Amino acid sequence: MPTRSEVIARLTAGGAFELVEDHSPGYPLKIYRNGPKSMREVLQSTRVFDDRTFLIYGDEEITFREHFEQAAALAHFLRGAGVGKGDRVAIGMRNYPEWVIGFWACQAIGAVVVALNAWWTGAELTYALEDSAPMAMLIDGERLARLSTLIGGMNLKALVVARRNGAGPGGTDFAEAVAKRTAELPAADIGPSDYCTILYTSGTTGRPKGAVATQQNHITNYMNTLLSGAVARGLMGDFSEIAPADMPQGGSLQTFPFFHIGGLTGLYLSTGTGSKLAVMYKWNPAEAVQLVAKHKLSGVSGVPIVVRQLLESARASGADVSSVLGVSSGGAAVPPDLIRQIGKQFEQKAAPANGYGLTETTSAVITNSGADYFAHPDSIGRPVATAEVRFVDDSGKDLGNNQIGELWIRGANVIPGYWNKPDATEAAFGGGWFRTGDLGYQDDEGFCYVVDRKKDVIIRGGENVYCAEVEAAILEHPLVRDVAVVGLPDPEYGEQVAAVIQVGDRAQARALPDELRASLATTLARFKIPSAYQVTEEELPRTATGKVLKRELRSMFKAEPAASAAK
């Protein structure tokens, strides 16, 4: 049988996955010669799936034909309201079918999707909306309630509200917006360099930054994922090119929220390959197992805690989940024992997979899967065919194999920068290389490993928590003199958020942790609120330059592990 590198070389030399070099940015990028030129083309390609089941939500099922006609109808509605190519359209809702339809309607006309974090508070949502200044909004009833005082002054061209039994004054109910079903998309000329999405991620100032991805960024991610499937078949000696419509229909359970790059990847991969896509109002392991069993879903993906709970629920219920052929985990560090558990529970018939990537790299740029993952469960894998990686020292000098340095990434997956933040863009992307802030190394076989993070970001259950933002919120309390937020290892969520707080009088601040949990809930999303606290009268340890020595602070929690946060 051929090796992995031999299979990739053969597949990318010609045909559907042929790679060529694009030197237009001033440095070489590997791009797919024969891939779609825009996400609109991906939507158009789904016409061949016709009456296949596509979206599953509870007892609701929507076919590919129904989805296309609704997306086309909504595209015409938005165009009629004055929304066009390059205009921002904010989508803020749970993982409803309407999220998917709204996303594709925007792609049909070249509008830029601003994906709002559905877990944000009203204040956090307000910041993102003021920063991105969308022309239109597609939201659900929950988000409408949080934003009711803001929306009136936004001068929107369209406000479409889903799952509310009426949109209220100034809005249009989603069902009304898609009532004029059609099989024809509005005319639009969309190219690879046109903007496609803005996803908000934590930034160096503690304020979220809008990561702007192009059509090419997402198409590259889409094609990379398709290539990984072709490589798996090639390793078994099968190099035939099979059209998606001629392949058995797969099905996946969507546990990542669509505002997360992992969720967005699952959304358009399922759409383009004619796969079923099952979505849920909120994560529920028992319901997830029922969905897998009932609809014979072949794939499940999610952060490690979600995958672990799914496996536990399947064991406890005895449900038949033998249809599962792939279990993908990411968004946080994946414990090696989870990979072993997947192998044992599915008798190594379901291939595990992990993708290392960030919002800035438009999802995975380093991947580990199948036999390689069972053999190297502590590795994030090897770079995808379109990505280059470097591990560098603090001066930017390349390091040799097995030497720990900061991971830099370049490729057609890497976004051009942040919305309206040129300084942050230059700092993170200058020279074409994205500085991840993660520390790791590459071994002699080409496998990559991440050992720590250089920048001060906590990743809890796949969500980024920026310490400066949490610290600023805690400092609003009158009893707090100083504070430092750190990440603690957690077997379920990857990390928990913990806070060390200096006060003037410890006895006076006895109730401070409970008070902070209550007050922070009004300004921060729940996943950002610390679950463990240490209160002290001592000054926090700092370096000569004034930086807090967070490594010393973490030791304060060794005898008292963080309590689980609200789920």
Side-chain angles (χ1 to χ4, degrees):
M1 289 294 179
T3 65
R4 180 178 180 273
S5 59
E6 289 171 342
V7 169
I8 293 174
R10 177 172 172 177
L11 289 171
T12 57
F17 299 106
E18 180 181 359
L19 287 176
V20 295
E21 285 195 349
D22 174 17
H23 291 265
S24 61
Y27 45 83
L29 289 182
K30 295 178 182 178
I31 63 172
Y32 290 98
R33 180 194 292 274
N34 301 315
K37 298 300 183 287
S38 68
M39 297 298 282
R40 174 188 166 100
E41 289 186 20
V42 176
L43 174 62
Q44 289 174 314
S45 72
T46 66
R47 299 291 300 275
V48 299
F49 304 128
D50 199 30
D51 288 325
R52 278 191 188 184
T53 298
F54 176 28
L55 298 173
I56 300 168
Y57 177 75
D59 294 330
E60 301 175 33
E61 294 188 12
I62 297 174
T63 67
F64 274 90
R65 177 174 52 81
E66 291 169 333
H67 167 263
F68 187 93
E69 291 177 353
Q70 290 188 53
L74 183 56
H76 281 284
F77 174 86
L78 292 172
R79 177 64 62 80
V83 179
K85 176 180 172 180
D87 290 337
R88 275 89 60 207
V89 177
I91 302 181
M93 62 179 78
R94 297 272 185 167
N95 274 18
Y96 292 129
E98 289 87 346
W99 211 115
V100 181
I101 296 166
F103 173 82
W104 287 113
C106 291
Q107 300 313 310
I109 60 176
V112 182
V113 170
V114 179
L116 301 176
N117 189 322
W119 300 348
W120 277 342
T121 64
E124 291 167 312
L125 288 166
T126 298
Y127 168 77
L129 290 173
E130 290 178 343
D131 183 62
S132 61
M135 296 285 188
M137 290 181 64
L138 310 175
I139 58 176
D140 60 16
E142 292 178 71
R143 258 41 61 185
L144 181 65
R146 293 183 193 178
L147 295 168
S148 58
T149 57
L150 173 70
I151 288 175
M154 289 184 64
N155 195 29
L156 296 169
K157 293 182 177 179
L159 172 64
V160 180
V161 184
R163 307 276 166 171
R164 190 180 177 270
N165 296 322
T172 302
D173 185 77
F174 193 93
E176 181 183 344
V178 300
K180 296 181 179 179
R181 306 286 178 86
T182 176
E184 300 298 328
L185 300 179
D189 182 14
I190 306 167
S193 62
D194 290 326
Y195 289 166
C196 182
T197 60
I198 298 177
L199 276 64
Y200 277 85
T201 183
S202 296
T204 56
T205 64
R207 284 283 199 177
K209 300 190 298 289
V212 183
T214 65
Q215 298 285 330
Q216 183 178 72
N217 293 149
H218 285 290
I219 289 298
T220 303
N221 180 41
Y222 174 72
M223 292 295 293
N224 282 342
T225 312
L226 295 183
L227 175 59
S228 68
V231 169
R233 296 192 297 273
L235 288 170
M236 296 184 290
D238 179 7
F239 288 90
S240 59
E241 290 190 13
I242 306 174
D246 297 328
M247 297 179 68
Q249 186 182 25
S252 64
L253 174 65
Q254 176 65 271
T255 68
F256 283 113
F258 290 136
F259 58 76
H260 188 287
I261 188 59
L264 205 54
T265 297
L267 185 160
Y268 52 70
L269 183 67
S270 293
T271 309
T273 59
S275 176
K276 296 176 186 175
L277 183 62
V279 294
M280 306 168 65
Y281 176 77
K282 64 183 297 186
W283 171 244
N284 182 303
E287 181 185 345
V289 169
Q290 292 173 1
L291 281 169
V292 171
K294 178 180 179 181
H295 297 284
K296 304 298 180 187
L297 302 180
S298 55
V300 178
S301 62
V303 294
I305 179 60
V306 164
V307 174
R308 193 182 296 277
Q309 290 177 351
L310 179 78
L311 297 177
E312 292 171 351
S313 184
R315 285 200 305 272
S317 66
D320 181 8
V321 293
S322 59
S323 61
V324 175
L325 301 176
V327 181
S328 301
S329 191
V334 181
D337 77 290
L338 181 58
I339 306 309
R340 292 190 288 270
Q341 185 177 338
I342 292 170
K344 180 179 179 180
Q345 190 157 336
F346 288 97
E347 299 176 343
Q348 299 216 358
K349 295 177 183 177
N354 179 24
Y356 171 87
L358 305 94
T359 307
E360 289 90 341
T361 64
T362 324
S363 198
V365 286
I366 303 174
T367 62
N368 199 358
S369 63
D372 280 345
Y373 211 165
F374 286 126
H376 304 272
D378 55 343
S379 171
I380 57 175
R382 290 177 281 201
V384 297
T386 56
E388 298 176 77
V389 302
R390 300 167 61 191
F391 290 91
V392 305
D393 63 17
D394 289 342
S395 68
K397 179 183 177 182
D398 289 306
L399 298 171
N401 288 348
N402 303 301
Q403 291 183 289
I404 294 176
E406 183 180 3
L407 172 57
W408 289 13
I409 298 169
R410 185 168 73 181
N413 271 61
V414 176
I415 68 169
Y418 299 117
W419 181 255
N420 286 337
K421 289 181 170 53
D423 292 342
T425 295
E426 178 60 27
F429 301 93
W433 290 95
F434 172 61
R435 298 144 177 80
T436 68
D438 286 325
L439 298 174
Y441 64 94
Q442 191 168 27
D443 68 15
D444 296 332
E445 297 180 77
F447 283 91
C448 298
Y449 299 78
V450 168
V451 298
D452 202 350
R453 276 189 302 283
K454 190 174 182 179
K455 55 187 180 182
D456 195 11
V457 178
I458 298 169
I459 300 179
R460 180 194 180 278
E463 285 295 318
N464 285 358
V465 180
Y466 195 77
C467 297
E469 181 184 16
V470 182
E471 289 163 354
I474 292 174
L475 284 167
E476 294 292 330
H477 195 287
L479 294 181
V480 176
R481 296 180 63 180
D482 199 2
V483 61
V485 170
V486 298
L488 301 180
D490 185 276
E492 292 187 335
Y493 289 91
E495 284 186 302
Q496 288 288 354
V497 183
V500 179
I501 301 171
Q502 181 195 5
V503 297
D505 184 340
R506 188 171 182 177
Q508 188 181 24
R510 189 169 297 149
L512 183 59
D514 289 336
E515 291 177 12
L516 285 172
R517 288 188 182 97
S519 63
L520 293 176
T522 64
T523 58
L524 297 176
R526 293 177 65 187
F527 64 85
K528 300 179 183 178
I529 299 174
S531 58
Y533 298 83
Q534 288 285 354
V535 180
T536 179
E537 295 177 43
E538 303 295 326
E539 291 187 359
L540 304 186
R542 294 179 182 272
T543 66
T545 58
K547 293 182 180 179
V548 176
L549 292 168
K550 293 195 173 185
R551 182 176 299 177
E552 293 185 16
L553 296 182
R554 290 187 180 93
S555 66
M556 298 175 64
F557 294 90
K558 287 183 178 178
E560 185 180 335
S564 293
K567 300 179 181 177

